[in-house]
Amino acid sequence: MQILDGKAVSLAVKTAVRDEIAKEGIAPCLAVILVGNDPASRVYVNNKKKACAFCGIRSLEFTLPENTAQEELLGLIDDLNRDETVNGILCQLPVPKQISEKEVIARINPKKDVDCFHNENVGRLWTGSFRLKPCTPAGVMALLDHYGIDPDGKHCVVIGRSNIVGKPMAALMLERNATVTVCHSRTRNLKEICLQADIIVSAVGKARFLTADMVPEGAVVLDVGISRLPDGTLCGDADFDKVKEKAAWLTPVPGGCGPMTIAVLMQNTLTAYRIQTGAVGK
Ligand code: NAD
C-alpha cells in the first residue's frame, strides 16, 4: 500500500499559490465568518488563517456570538459582498440553529463564494463551466492527479451524498470520466457495491466504518471522514490498519484529504480575485 500524502501535496499546492501571488504582486483577501463557539470550527478557521498567511492572502476574521440573529449575519455578508477589497467570503458551517444555512449560502455573492456552495456555482459545477471548485472534492482530485491516478473509465464509489462532499465529489468524478455510484445511509448492499470499486471515496463521518472486507484488493481509498475517538485522537472512516492490507493507495487521517481542502480554498481565493479583477471570464 502507498500513502496519498495530503500534507505534502497540500504544501506543494499552497506554495504554487504563494509563488503566483508574489510574482504578480497582488493581495487577494479572504473574509472568514465564525458564528458561535464550536471547538472544531475554531480549529478549522485557525488552519485556514494560517494557510492564508503562508500564501500571502490577507485574511479577515469576523467572530460572532452563538446567539447572533440571522439578519445580523446576513447584514455582515452584504457588507462583505459590497467591499471591493474582499475577494472571498466563507461562513464556517455549521451555524447555530436560529440561522438558516441555506439563506447564508444564498446571500454570498457567487463570485466570492470560495466554498462553491452557492446554487449558481453548484449549477456551474454540474454543467462543467465552473471556476471556483468545491474544496474537499477538488482536493481529492488534486491528490489523485499528483500521484498520476487517472479516474477515466474507473468505477468510483462515493459513500455519502452531502452537498459539501458526496454530491460535488460525484460531479467531479463524472467530469473526469469515471463511472460513479453514490451510496448513502439508505443504500442496500453497500459492501457488494464497494467490492466493485476501483476508487472509493468515503465521506460518512463514522470511525472505522469502512472495513477491510468492503475494500477490493488494489483499490484506491480516499478517506474524507473525520471523527474524534473517546481518547481525543482523530480517526477516518477507514479501518486504516486493516484496509491498508487491501488497498493499493490510501489517505491517512489526519494528513490526507483535510489539508487538501484548505489548499483548494487558497486556490479558490486567488481565482475569486481573478474573477473580480476581470483576469478570468466573469
Ligand atoms: P454529512 O453528515 O452531511 O453526510 C454523511 C453522509 O454519510 C450522508 O450522506 C449519509 O447518507 C451517509 N451515511 C451515513 N451513514 C451511512 C451508512 N451507514 N452507510 C452509507 N452511508 C451513510 O457529512 P459531510 O458534511 O458530508 O461530512 C462527512 C465526513 O467528512 C465528516 O466526518 C466530516 O467531518 C468530514 N469532512 C471532512 C472534510 C475534510 O476537509 N477532510 C471536509 C468536509 C467534511
Side-chain angles (χ1 to χ4, degrees):
M1 187 273 308
Q2 286 177 276
I3 288 283
L4 296 158
D5 186 347
K7 224 172 147 185
V9 179
S10 129
L11 180 62
V13 172
K14 285 185 296 185
T15 302
V17 171
R18 184 188 69 182
D19 291 349
E20 279 185 58
I21 287 173
K23 194 175 81 202
E24 294 175 34
I26 56 178
C29 172
L30 174 66
V32 181
I33 306 170
L34 176 60
V35 190
N37 324 304
D38 179 44
S41 292
R42 180 76 260 169
V43 173
Y44 293 141
V45 165
N46 287 348
N47 288 340
K48 288 167 187 179
K49 283 166 62 185
K50 242 193 268 172
C52 283
F54 176 87
C55 293
I57 291 172
R58 198 160 64 89
S59 68
L60 305 175
E61 183 185 321
F62 298 86
T63 314
L64 304 179
E66 183 80 27
N67 62 356
T68 299
Q70 175 165 300
E71 280 314 305
E72 193 183 331
L73 174 58
L74 296 180
L76 171 61
I77 293 172
D78 289 341
D79 291 344
L80 295 170
N81 281 338
R82 272 191 297 269
D83 186 339
E84 288 185 2
T85 67
V86 170
N87 306 109
I89 303 171
L90 176 161
C91 181
Q92 185 66 44
L93 301 179
V95 282
K97 287 185 290 294
Q98 73 278 14
I99 297 173
S100 149
E101 199 172 288
K102 260 189 171 169
E103 300 252 359
V104 169
I105 292 169
R107 196 66 158 245
I108 294 173
N109 177 346
K111 295 189 176 71
K112 299 190 179 188
D113 170 36
V114 284
D115 266 332
C116 193
F117 291 163
H118 192 286
N119 281 345
E120 180 179 318
N121 290 324
V122 175
R124 283 177 175 274
L125 173 64
W126 283 96
T127 52
S129 61
F130 58 104
R131 297 84 43 97
L132 297 168
K133 301 180 278 190
C135 295
T136 301
V140 165
M141 300 312 285
L143 256 184
L144 293 177
D145 286 341
H146 179 89
Y147 288 97
I149 302 165
D150 187 355
D152 195 314
K154 306 244 169 73
H155 182 202
C156 175
V157 173
V158 178
I159 317 176
R161 58 169 157 183
S162 71
N163 290 334
I164 297 177
V165 191
K167 285 184 206 163
M169 187 73 249
L172 289 186
M173 282 290 179
L174 267 181
E175 215 233 339
R176 295 286 301 274
N177 301 321
T179 299
V180 182
T181 305
V182 182
C183 300
H184 47 80
S185 53
R186 307 286 280 273
T187 297
R188 293 178 197 153
N189 309 326
L190 178 64
K191 177 177 161 185
E192 284 69 25
I193 295 168
C194 287
L195 285 172
Q196 295 166 25
D198 301 301
I199 300 172
I200 298 174
V201 181
S202 187
V204 175
K206 291 183 182 157
R208 302 197 184 109
F209 168 86
L210 186 74
T211 48
D213 61 338
M214 298 165 79
V215 176
E217 284 291 338
V220 180
V221 178
L222 296 126
D223 189 352
V224 174
I226 305 173
S227 307
R228 203 168 276 282
L229 297 175
D231 69 2
T233 54
L234 291 181
C235 177
D237 285 352
D239 185 2
F240 188 90
D241 286 335
K242 300 211 174 85
V243 168
K244 77 174 200 270
E245 305 298 330
K246 303 279 288 291
W249 296 90
L250 177 59
T251 56
V253 177
C257 299
M260 293 305 298
T261 298
I262 296 190
V264 175
L265 177 68
M266 298 299 106
Q267 286 183 321
N268 275 350
T269 305
L270 177 55
T271 302
Y273 174 91
R274 295 202 161 124
I275 293 169
Q276 288 150 51
T277 53
V280 300
K282 297 220 179 210

